[in-house]
Amino acid sequence: MTQKLPPLPIYFANEKSSRQSQATVDIRDRGLAYGDGIFETMFVYQGKFPFWEYHQRRLQKGLAFLGMTFDKALFEQHCESIFEYLKNNPHTCIVKLIVTRGESARGYAPTSTTANFFTSINAFSQDAILNQTGCSVHLCKEVLAEPVSWAGLKTLNQLSYVLASKERIETDFDEGLVCSSKGHIIEATARNIFCVKNGQLITPDLSGVGVAGVMRDVIIERIAAELSIELKLCSLTPEQLLEADEIFICNSVTGIWPVTKVTGFGADIHQRPVGAITRKIQTMAQSLIEA
Amino acid sequence: MTQKLPPLPIYFANEKSSRQSQATVDIRDRGLAYGDGIFETMFVYQGKFPFWEYHQRRLQKGLAFLGMTFDKALFEQHCESIFEYLKNNPHTCIVKLIVTRGESARGYAPTSTTANFFTSINAFSQDAILNQTGCSVHLCKEVLAEPVSWAGLKTLNQLSYVLASKERIETDFDEGLVCSSKGHIIEATARNIFCVKNGQLITPDLSGVGVAGVMRDVIIERIAAELSIELKLCSLTPEQLLEADEIFICNSVTGIWPVTKVTGFGADIHQRPVGAITRKIQTMAQSLIEA
């Protein structure tokens, strides 16, 4: 029996637990002014967060790194409102949580502000075609300068990804790959990248730049171990990528996309079938989501 | 006779020309979500913008770089409201204009959005002590990764400057210096840097990273020429900085601060008097502001 659920999006701001169809932020919020904040984009399956602990861990790392003054009780109240809503309305949806350093007077220096929490619950339309058939990726011209002190975190400073995504939509591929200023493959615009070579799983080390995604962490910490696949975190050169037996990209919202076509590295088009290890990882990821 | 002026700040949003004591931004605004926008902070002297054309030039460069869809008539209406307000209320104040790519659904890729304009008119309290006595600067640990594709522009991705400013306020110096990942001196947290060596004016080339400030442009394009001072844009190493005869930092709001004390490069404290060329540039900058 399918329950009829109310339309999305809806919004929550700080302690306001009531459902709102609109939400606003003070113009003095430092998230807007300087990108002084972090965010999490979380997949919700039938009202439940499959990877809540992973998102919370990265969020806490971000808050600690930025040194934000943070009202723990207020945050718990904010989260409680969202859990309560999803318990009563078990959407399969996308929850986006933004935490900013709060409002302040003009000036980069953070003064005595307290973090603000903004959450939107967004509709999710299931379209698993790329999970099945695989996707095409192209190397973007936009480069991620490194090292940044917030490497691995998901801050509100995402202009590189906006510009890379702009390249992607102006052409005709499913995702864009981005390199670091040192010439290593770091990730896709909204996904992390893995490749398989001789049975070994390889993913870029993100200690210099990049967003360490939750699905990446799930694969590194759970799936690779459970499937007994050897895993290596290292710099990934374009040559290594092109020589890989299998390639896939992933995030926690759309899951795992096998990569079947790679372009942008010279004139050649590099094609490969969907790999067997990719399929195994995909199956296990799906089972964790539906657990 | 001093005119009694209404209190600040006040805010303008898009076409709303009426004075508002509060202003808000839609939570879906891409400026908040990703730092997908630019800003200008402009000094206003007795109701007039001394360097309006310079700010407009950088703003237009930023809009073109980001490829924003932009309603020119709306922007002109927005600016007209601000001019009108300042004509009737000739504050000496700080006008901050934020332009974002507008609201969109979740996702880095810019879809069919139209730019939003937000302006705040902020109080300015004159405190020219550092212009007179000079200031102390310290090298920050936070580093500016380079190259970024928006070098020179003033985007909403300013987390590096927030983190560097956080270092500054946690210690006891007037400004922080920031280096690039290549080890060159780029700027101060909210100011550009110049030094003088054997009568020649030197300022860092900002083609890899950094914000090309309006006062910097005024000095390069007008003041150096009018004072017949030879000018060089180049990489600035810490060694070059420490060997300079004069150092100053500047922005268009607080003008020119002579640097009299430099720390953070090893254990030594590097002191120097306020230089004669710095004073000449300062005098001319002030005359341009009051012209």
Side-chain angles (χ1 to χ4, degrees), chain B residues 105-124:
Chain B
R106 219 183 45 72
Y108 293 129
T111 47
S112 54
T113 58
T114 305
N116 281 331
F117 313 111
F118 306 102
T119 291
S120 58
I121 304 185
N122 306 279
F124 173 70

Side-chain angles (χ1 to χ4, degrees), chain A residues 166-230:
Chain A
K166 198 162 169 284
E167 289 183 50
R168 181 184 63 75
I169 57 171
E170 284 163 2
T171 54
D172 188 30
F173 42 95
D174 301 311
E175 245 286 24
L177 296 184
V178 275
C179 274
S180 73
S181 45
K182 288 184 183 161
H184 296 129
I185 309 279
I186 299 296
E187 57 199 340
T189 69
R191 287 167 180 85
N192 289 117
I193 188 163
F194 286 79
C195 53
V196 179
K197 182 68 182 175
N198 300 330
Q200 188 187 49
L201 195 57
I202 300 165
T203 195
D205 161 59
L206 303 179
S207 57
V209 73
V211 176
V214 158
M215 185 54 84
R216 176 179 181 271
D217 280 353
V218 170
I219 293 170
I220 292 173
E221 296 174 21
R222 293 192 61 176
I223 298 178
E226 290 190 32
L227 294 176
S228 302
I229 304 172
E230 193 193 335

Side-chain angles (χ1 to χ4, degrees), chain B residues 82-128:
Chain B
I82 293 152
F83 290 145
E84 181 70 17
Y85 176 83
L86 288 170
K87 193 179 159 193
N88 297 328
N89 304 280
H91 286 282
T92 291
C93 58
I94 302 167
V95 172
K96 178 169 175 174
L97 167 65
I98 295 177
V99 185
T100 74
R101 203 187 295 271
E103 298 105 46
S104 80
R106 219 183 45 72
Y108 293 129
T111 47
S112 54
T113 58
T114 305
N116 281 331
F117 313 111
F118 306 102
T119 291
S120 58
I121 304 185
N122 306 279
F124 173 70
S125 44
Q126 181 67 37
D127 175 7

Side-chain angles (χ1 to χ4, degrees), chain B residues 186-203:
Chain B
I186 299 296
E187 57 201 338
T189 70
R191 288 168 179 84
N192 289 116
I193 188 164
F194 286 79
C195 54
V196 178
K197 183 69 183 176
N198 299 330
Q200 187 188 47
L201 196 57
I202 302 165
T203 196

Side-chain angles (χ1 to χ4, degrees), chain A:
Chain A
M1 200 182 72
T2 309
Q3 193 183 335
K4 176 91 179 144
L5 295 171
L8 295 175
I10 68 159
Y11 302 96
F12 297 80
N14 286 337
E15 71 284 8
K16 287 172 202 142
S17 61
S18 61
R19 179 188 150 177
Q20 299 165 280
S21 61
Q22 268 205 320
T24 56
V25 175
D26 191 296
I27 202 175
R28 294 166 305 171
D29 194 287
R30 296 177 59 90
L32 172 69
Y34 308 123
D36 193 4
I38 48 179
F39 73 109
E40 290 293 327
T41 306
M42 299 174 271
F43 184 63
V44 171
Y45 181 73
Q46 296 178 352
K48 285 178 190 154
F49 292 85
F51 305 121
W52 176 256
E53 292 73 18
Y54 289 85
H55 289 286
Q56 283 307 300
R57 183 176 66 183
R58 184 172 57 186
L59 192 75
Q60 296 297 335
K61 267 191 205 168
L63 290 168
F65 171 75
L66 292 177
M68 275 194 200
T69 304
F70 178 78
D71 182 338
K72 196 163 171 278
L74 180 64
F75 181 59
E76 282 168 5
Q77 195 181 338
H78 184 85
C79 294
E80 203 45 58
S81 305
I82 294 152
F83 290 145
E84 181 70 18
Y85 175 84
L86 289 170
K87 193 180 159 194
N88 297 327
N89 303 280
H91 286 284
T92 291
C93 58
I94 302 168
V95 172
K96 178 168 175 175
L97 167 65
I98 296 177
V99 185
T100 73
R101 202 188 294 271
E103 299 105 45
S104 79
R106 217 183 45 73
Y108 294 128
T111 47
S112 53
T113 58
T114 306
N116 280 331
F117 313 111
F118 306 102
T119 290
S120 59
I121 303 186
N122 306 279
F124 173 71
S125 43
Q126 182 65 36
D127 175 8
I129 184 77
L130 296 179
N131 304 69
Q132 290 312 309
T133 61
C135 70
S136 62
V137 298
H138 187 86
L139 180 67
C140 294
K141 292 187 189 86
E142 180 67 19
V143 157
L144 302 173
E146 71 170 318
V148 292
S149 57
W150 56 85
L153 300 175
K154 197 155 176 166
T155 77
L156 298 175
N157 276 232
Q158 300 291 336
L159 200 48
S160 290
Y161 303 96
V162 169
L163 295 168
S165 298
K166 198 162 169 284
E167 289 183 50
R168 181 184 63 75
I169 57 171
E170 284 163 2
T171 54
D172 188 30
F173 42 95
D174 301 311
E175 245 286 24
L177 296 184
V178 275
C179 274
S180 73
S181 45
K182 288 184 183 161
H184 296 129
I185 309 279
I186 299 296
E187 57 199 340
T189 69
R191 287 167 180 85
N192 289 117
I193 188 163
F194 286 79
C195 53
V196 179
K197 182 68 182 175
N198 300 330
Q200 188 187 49
L201 195 57
I202 300 165
T203 195
D205 161 59
L206 303 179
S207 57
V209 73
V211 176
V214 158
M215 185 54 84
R216 176 179 181 271
D217 280 353
V218 170
I219 293 170
I220 292 173
E221 296 174 21
R222 293 192 61 176
I223 298 178
E226 290 190 32
L227 294 176
S228 302
I229 304 172
E230 193 193 335
L231 179 102
K232 193 167 81 171
L233 269 75
C234 59
S235 299
L236 183 66
T237 63
E239 293 71 29
Q240 281 178 293
L241 180 78
L242 298 176
E243 286 167 6
D245 303 321
E246 303 182 25
I247 305 172
F248 65 87
I249 55 178
C250 61
N251 69 26
S252 62
V253 170
T254 56
I256 289 157
W257 288 359
V259 174
T260 49
K261 191 174 162 189
V262 182
T263 55
F265 298 89
D268 290 353
I269 298 171
H270 303 268
Q271 284 179 301
R272 68 201 68 221
V274 177
I277 292 179
T278 301
R279 280 284 185 240
K280 279 188 194 169
I281 293 172
Q282 216 175 25
T283 304
M284 182 156 288
Q286 194 57 34
S287 72
L288 292 174
I289 288 167
E290 295 175 12

